[in-house]
Amino acid sequence: MDPFSQLILTISVTSFLTFQWLFHKVSPWMSMRISPGFFGLSDKQKVEWNSRTVSTFHALLVGIFCLYILFFDDAVNEDPVWGDPTLVKTNVAITTGYLISDLLLIFYYWKAIGDKFFVVHHLAALYAYYYVLGQGTLPYFANFRLLAEFSTPCVNQRWFFEVLGYPKSSRPNMANGVAMAVVFFMVRIAVMPVYYSRMYAVYGTEAFYVVPWGGRVAWICASICLDIMNIMWMHKIARGCYRVLRSARHSKAGTPQENGKTD
């Protein structure tokens, strides 16, 4: 094993251990001090709370790293299939450690956070990341996909507000809902033309056919399936956001009339 591969393995293992530590130690300790409502949660809710806290931390860490690579890693941007994958591999190694950690927690706390969809999602992602970490292929597209993690904090925050009893019409909940819709659209929907234009540009080239058949299937098929789900989710998020905003607008419109009534 070459030194860089050993480094990637070390990063993955360190990532796994770090996220386990964050789940078992840091999140409970921090949550008890930041949110008094944490004490009133059931054991199952506390498990999911800690899982989502770790998920938010991972999303922000990896997302920021993705932006840096997207804007400043010229080697990857110039050659999206075989460009120098050093930074992308590092980022993917962090995510690999997180996914394995989260899979372990899902199986161990199945009654609290067990979800077949997430198991399939994590396993499919790990399969795709094998080609990035093992063969250094498709670094641009792997990094571009990880930008979607920026929508995770808002999704998690919606659950935090819900479990803490915040009304859907409350200002924090509404602000988070709007932010979730906007960010989800930006990092999962608006970027599709850019992503598929780069895919079309390399499709059929010599560099494309050097990619193993399994890697091409994981890349193209997974991208299409994921984006179909993203469009469906975006539709649901937009409808939910519209309903909440319309309800709040009607409530505000009715208040002056009610206040202006005389006996």
Side-chain angles (χ1 to χ4, degrees):
M1 182 181 292
D2 64 85
F4 184 68
S5 297
Q6 291 179 351
L7 175 61
I8 293 301
L9 178 60
T10 300
I11 292 173
S12 297
V13 173
T14 302
S15 172
F16 169 83
L17 295 175
T18 299
F19 286 115
Q20 285 287 312
W21 174 65
L22 289 172
F23 175 86
H24 290 287
K25 299 295 183 181
V26 177
S27 177
W29 179 86
M30 182 180 66
S31 299
M32 287 187 293
R33 286 159 176 78
I34 294 178
S35 178
F38 181 78
F39 291 97
L41 301 180
S42 66
D43 290 340
K44 288 184 178 181
Q45 288 174 327
K46 287 180 180 178
V47 169
E48 185 164 359
W49 178 290
N50 294 328
S51 175
R52 288 180 180 272
T53 300
V54 174
S55 170
T56 296
F57 175 80
H58 163 262
L60 292 174
L61 174 64
V62 170
I64 293 172
F65 206 171
C66 280
L67 283 180
Y68 176 83
I69 295 172
L70 187 64
F71 288 115
F72 300 108
D73 194 333
D74 294 335
V76 168
N77 291 318
E78 291 173 5
D79 185 355
V81 180
W82 292 103
D84 181 11
T86 301
L87 292 180
V88 175
K89 275 190 173 184
T90 301
N91 208 20
V92 169
I94 294 172
T95 296
T96 297
Y98 165 74
L99 290 175
I100 296 174
S101 172
D102 199 47
L103 273 176
L104 178 63
L105 294 173
I106 288 174
F107 288 129
Y108 189 80
Y109 296 104
W110 185 263
K111 292 184 178 181
I113 57 175
D115 190 313
K116 294 179 181 179
F117 172 78
F118 280 111
V119 172
V120 173
H121 171 273
H122 286 10
L123 292 176
L126 289 172
Y127 169 72
Y129 291 156
Y130 161 77
Y131 290 96
V132 181
L133 296 178
Q135 303 184 26
T137 185
L138 303 169
Y140 173 87
F141 299 100
N143 181 71
F144 208 99
R145 275 301 175 192
L146 281 175
L147 285 173
E149 289 296 329
F150 271 119
S151 65
T152 299
C154 290
V155 174
N156 288 337
Q157 189 60 48
R158 181 181 63 172
W159 183 89
F160 291 142
F161 283 144
E162 180 181 345
V163 80
L164 290 174
Y166 281 69
K168 289 185 178 180
S169 58
S170 65
R171 285 188 177 183
N173 222 332
M174 291 176 61
N176 180 73
V178 172
M180 180 176 68
V182 172
V183 174
F184 193 98
F185 176 79
M186 290 178 61
V187 301
R188 292 177 182 259
I189 306 299
V191 297
M192 285 185 188
V194 178
Y195 182 85
Y196 286 104
S197 65
R198 293 302 299 268
M199 180 186 288
Y200 180 77
V202 301
Y203 184 83
T205 63
E206 182 179 353
F208 172 83
Y209 285 112
V210 176
V211 177
W213 182 84
R216 280 179 265 160
V217 171
W219 170 34
I220 298 175
C221 294
S223 294
I224 294 173
C225 291
L226 182 59
D227 284 329
I228 290 174
M229 289 189 291
N230 282 333
I231 293 172
M232 294 171 60
W233 287 332
M234 184 72 251
H235 178 67
K236 291 182 179 180
I237 291 172
R239 287 183 60 188
C241 185
Y242 174 74
R243 284 197 300 267
V244 172
L245 292 176
R246 185 178 61 177
S247 176
R249 191 183 307 117
H250 289 336
S251 297
K252 288 182 178 180
T255 301
Q257 295 178 354
E258 295 172 0
N259 291 340
K261 289 180 180 179
T262 58
D263 294 331

